[in-house]
Amino acid sequence: MKKLTFFAASFLALLMAAGTVSAETVKVGIILPYSGPNAQLGQQVDRGFELYQKLHADGTGGHKIEIIKRDSTGPKPDVAKRLATELITRDKVDIVAGVVYSNNAFAISDVTRKAKVPLLIMNAGTAAITTRSPYTARVSFTMWQAAYPLGKYAYDKMKIRTAAVAYANYSPGKDSKNAFTKAFTAAGGKIVADIPFPFPKIPDFTPFLQSVKDAKPDALYVFIPAGKWATGVMKTYDDLGMRAAGIELIGPGDITQDSELPNMGQVPLGVVTMHHYSAAGDRAENKAFVKAWKDAYGADSTPDFFSVQGYDGMAAIHEVVRKLDGKIDADKAIAVLKGWKFASPRGPIMIDPETRDIVQNQYLRKVEKRGDALANIETATLEMVKDPWKELEKKK
């Protein structure tokens, strides 16, 4: 009996040793703005995927994920392209991920397409990004997913009849403006002012929003990347007395970013947005996520949509590593991601197998007081929204 036990133990040890030998190291290159005026956006994505790694360390089938981080410093496509090239040619990464800004995403996708390396977008929201390369998939959002339904809602439910649109003058801003305008005007509304903000250098929002005030619309629809820019819009809206003038402020969730709300004072109270995530969302997965976040990063720290996109992005990477047994091939990795489903803190999500783009809920939200703090309270849900731009293009 002792002899059998000895041989059984020896055999088990050999199996364990063989498993260790076959374990792979998968290199993931992350490109985010870790410095510059909006480094907080990159930090929120970073913390999201680091938290997933911490909570699900055993989710890779025994394989190791090595994260190699690179700082894009901001919306700088030339820098982003150089970093992607270095990650692929010098660091030999298996997957590239992250990417806050759309102009960076377009530049990076050109590199990853030629090199046949999977690119997983964890933020950048211009609808066309996934069409640039068959090796690109997205776990974040498209601008059309929020702006298009909000255009119809603004007319039908909020009884807004005239609107001004103001937007950062680059691809996601144009997407957001076009989506809102298309739905709003189709419903019967009228756009009375179209105001592009110079981007990324916006010296002062005052002259732009003053021209909106002069046009006297019922509402201002605004898109500006989250962070300090969003706070700048809020402050200017308040300083110019636009609410007192009867102009409602609406937009995608970027303008009331959960983690930035404490810096906005009481101005956002009552602001209506459409978005795919709120830290105040009443879902079991979200409550667990927010608790884990605060345990990891402090009671005063708040996750936001950047955070959950990083979290879900790492969940997708784990799925690829596990399903491919640590041996990453671009075509096989994308095949794994097509149709991938996940019970996210934001609600159920899926990667559309046809477009490689995110399918997810959109929530109508209103900023309200919760205790002493402001929060984006979800008031209605549109379930499993595909990218409207791609759906409309398909009908053409």
Side-chain angles (χ1 to χ4, degrees), residues 91-143:
D91 299 301
K92 308 296 183 185
V93 299
D94 300 290
I95 299 170
V96 176
V99 196
V100 164
Y101 300 104
S102 288
N103 50 0
N104 289 0
F106 282 117
I108 293 168
S109 68
D110 287 342
V111 177
T112 53
R113 174 177 51 82
K114 292 173 184 175
K116 293 187 178 181
V117 171
L119 171 61
L120 188 64
I121 301 293
M122 295 181 179
N123 185 68
T126 301
I129 289 171
T130 53
T131 69
R132 289 287 284 268
S133 167
Y135 301 112
T136 298
R138 177 160 38 199
V139 294
S140 50
F141 60 95
T142 77
M143 303 308 304

Side-chain angles (χ1 to χ4, degrees), residues 1-18:
M1 190 69 175
K2 288 182 180 178
K3 185 182 253 188
L4 286 173
T5 303
F6 170 78
F7 282 121
S10 299
F11 183 64
L12 180 60
L14 284 171
L15 285 177
M16 291 175 67

